[in-house]
Amino acid sequence: MQHNAGFTRDDVVTAALELGVDRFTMGKVARRLGVSTADLGRTVSSRDDLLVACLERVSADVTLPPTGLSWQDYLRQLSDSLWDVLDANPGLDHTLIDLAWAYVPFMSVAKRAHNALVSGGLRTEDAYLALNYTLSTVLTSHQQAAAMAETVESERQPGRSERGIDIATRMWDERFGGSSAALGMHRSHHLHSGDDADRVPFRPKESWLDRGAMAPKLEVIIGGFSGLSSVLSTSGAGSDGASRGPSPESQPNDTRESSVNTLVLVFHPNISESRVNKALGATAESLGGNITVRYMYDIYPDFNIDVATEQAALLGADRIVLQYPMYWLSCPPLLKKWLDDVLTFGWAYGSTGTALHGKELLLAVSVGGAGSAYGREGAHIYTIHEFLRPMQGTSRVIGTKYAVPFLSVGALEITDEAIARRAQDYAAVLQTAELPMLDIFG
């Protein structure tokens, strides 16, 4: 085997995507790159690590419809965009359906789509449902289309191939057409004349090879939510008769979203000179509502932490966000002291230390170096998630639910435009009612 010493993590991700996210193995990727499987260990730690990188690449390439559309048109264009992504990445539909955590890298995309639906006229809770139904419909319809288009060896004509749709059509016609007994099915299975019109829409069609099976389902979804919106706009009530509040157009942005009590603790030693953390903190403050932001270096410039005050703040929160820049591959000193002082035995851990059990813990971490510096081929060897393992371990000890960290990479050279996009993503995450929890890194 020719040794390819110059490959990067991006090359490995590209090779895996070319093989298919549901079909690649470490061995196949290595052979495609002309390296040994052991060589891959310099860039990825496991197949799961590589799969996450693949999904993150696909998520970054998703093109969402423009904002300013009605929610109906946004859903139509969104379904087409998602179909294009699935076409470009064979096996992605299987992966998103079959793997429980595969949706996590797409959370930022999903939240932006949700916000666009709300802006287009849907209530927040209805936008979540509409998005959920649409994503499920696109995935299952695409999976069906892929199966219909796939060619397999013909059982009736050895040496020849048939498409799935040709086999399905033949089976349909044999069961419900003129053949008296197909596949062991007898005349009793045939349709009565009065049932023919009802059954015809289910006979396989060539349009099912593309979006033909998805489009009518999507219109049913849109019609259902349009009808619901009409009822609510005249009655002001939900399906159970309870009031569902004002329409999203009349509701201020800072009160449309989650009612989760969120405490954001910003540990930046010099926030006024910061670019990324300053922007993220300001964004969090602008959301108002149930989101409280505290700048810890301003509160405790002498590192003399008021433990009672901090514990009371934590008790009042459902979600705790620790926002900080990575310092020497760890956290700033005040955060370390805060952990030591506030998370006391008998209160935060130990047999009676259950004060924080069940609360969510989200890390919002900025990293100065480029993403290429992290990982097996990078200068730091380990991934950012591996450097955050001590925090994940702390979360386990104190009984909090460890959410997928919000990472801002390349902070030293990031553009203003990229910071603005990251701030928008941060707002979406903070306002999300249910954060995805991290359970795939051990």
Side-chain angles (χ1 to χ4, degrees), residues 143-216:
Q143 189 176 40
Q144 180 190 44
M148 289 285 187
E150 186 175 7
T151 57
V152 296
E153 184 175 351
S154 174
E155 294 183 357
R156 299 192 176 189
Q157 296 178 302
R160 298 190 62 182
S161 297
E162 288 184 290
R163 299 176 305 169
I165 193 171
D166 298 326
I167 299 173
T169 302
R170 185 179 69 246
M171 292 178 65
W172 172 276
D173 290 343
E174 289 173 344
R175 183 180 177 95
F176 300 118
S179 176
S180 60
L183 303 178
M185 301 173 186
H186 302 291
R187 180 71 63 177
S188 59
H189 289 289
H190 279 226
L191 299 175
H192 298 294
S193 59
D195 296 327
D196 289 349
D198 293 334
R199 296 282 185 152
V200 168
F202 293 98
R203 186 179 186 274
K205 303 175 179 63
E206 286 289 324
S207 64
W208 290 7
L209 295 175
D210 193 19
R211 301 160 208 234
M214 176 185 72

Side-chain angles (χ1 to χ4, degrees), residues 24-329:
F24 79 82
T25 65
M26 299 295 276
K28 289 179 179 179
V29 172
R31 287 192 292 274
R32 193 175 189 88
L33 292 172
V35 302
S36 70
T37 304
D39 288 332
L40 292 182
R42 294 192 294 108
T43 63
V44 292
S45 59
S46 65
R47 189 185 187 280
D48 273 355
D49 182 28
L50 179 52
L51 180 55
V52 171
C54 288
L55 297 177
E56 288 174 342
R57 166 86 67 83
V58 173
S59 175
D61 291 340
V62 173
T63 301
L64 292 177
T67 57
L69 299 173
S70 68
W71 66 266
Q72 295 95 329
D73 287 340
Y74 191 91
L75 277 183
R76 294 184 181 101
Q77 292 192 28
L78 176 65
S79 64
D80 283 335
S81 295
L82 295 176
W83 192 282
D84 290 341
V85 171
L86 296 175
D87 272 349
N89 297 277
L92 181 60
D93 47 11
H94 290 283
T95 301
L96 289 171
I97 290 172
D98 298 339
L99 205 55
W101 55 263
Y103 74 97
V104 172
F106 294 88
M107 275 298 298
S108 178
V109 172
K111 187 57 185 178
R112 291 201 301 272
H114 171 267
N115 289 344
L117 291 174
V118 173
S119 297
L122 272 183
R123 288 170 172 77
T124 295
E125 60 270 35
D126 296 334
Y128 278 120
L129 288 175
L131 186 59
N132 190 0
Y133 294 160
T134 299
L135 295 177
S136 297
T137 298
V138 174
L139 286 173
T140 55
S141 297
H142 191 276
Q143 189 176 40
Q144 180 190 44
M148 289 285 187
E150 186 175 7
T151 57
V152 296
E153 184 175 351
S154 174
E155 294 183 357
R156 299 192 176 189
Q157 296 178 302
R160 298 190 62 182
S161 297
E162 288 184 290
R163 299 176 305 169
I165 193 171
D166 298 326
I167 299 173
T169 302
R170 185 179 69 246
M171 292 178 65
W172 172 276
D173 290 343
E174 289 173 344
R175 183 180 177 95
F176 300 118
S179 176
S180 60
L183 303 178
M185 301 173 186
H186 302 291
R187 180 71 63 177
S188 59
H189 289 289
H190 279 226
L191 299 175
H192 298 294
S193 59
D195 296 327
D196 289 349
D198 293 334
R199 296 282 185 152
V200 168
F202 293 98
R203 186 179 186 274
K205 303 175 179 63
E206 286 289 324
S207 64
W208 290 7
L209 295 175
D210 193 19
R211 301 160 208 234
M214 176 185 72
K217 298 173 186 175
L218 181 63
E219 292 305 317
V220 170
I221 293 172
I222 291 174
F225 280 96
S226 295
L228 178 62
S229 296
S230 298
V231 170
L232 294 175
S233 64
T234 57
S235 69
S239 59
D240 58 357
S243 173
R244 301 203 29 202
S247 68
E249 295 88 345
S250 64
Q251 200 171 351
N253 287 335
D254 60 358
T255 60
R256 286 188 203 171
E257 301 294 342
S258 166
S259 60
V260 177
N261 289 321
T262 300
L263 177 65
V264 181
L265 304 180
V266 182
F267 288 89
H268 194 292
N270 193 2
I271 194 68
S272 63
E273 299 299 321
S274 167
R275 296 177 64 226
V276 173
N277 278 276
K278 183 178 180 179
L280 297 184
T283 296
E285 285 185 291
S286 71
L287 300 176
N290 293 307
I291 297 176
T292 301
V293 182
R294 304 175 74 227
Y295 292 91
M296 305 304 283
Y297 272 86
D298 291 341
I299 298 173
Y300 301 116
D302 56 359
F303 280 51
N304 186 16
I305 296 172
D306 186 331
V307 173
T309 296
E310 295 305 308
Q311 290 183 345
L314 293 174
L315 287 175
D318 304 309
R319 176 180 298 157
I320 303 161
V321 182
L322 301 181
Q323 179 186 320
Y324 62 93
M326 185 174 282
Y327 267 40
W328 276 103
L329 308 178

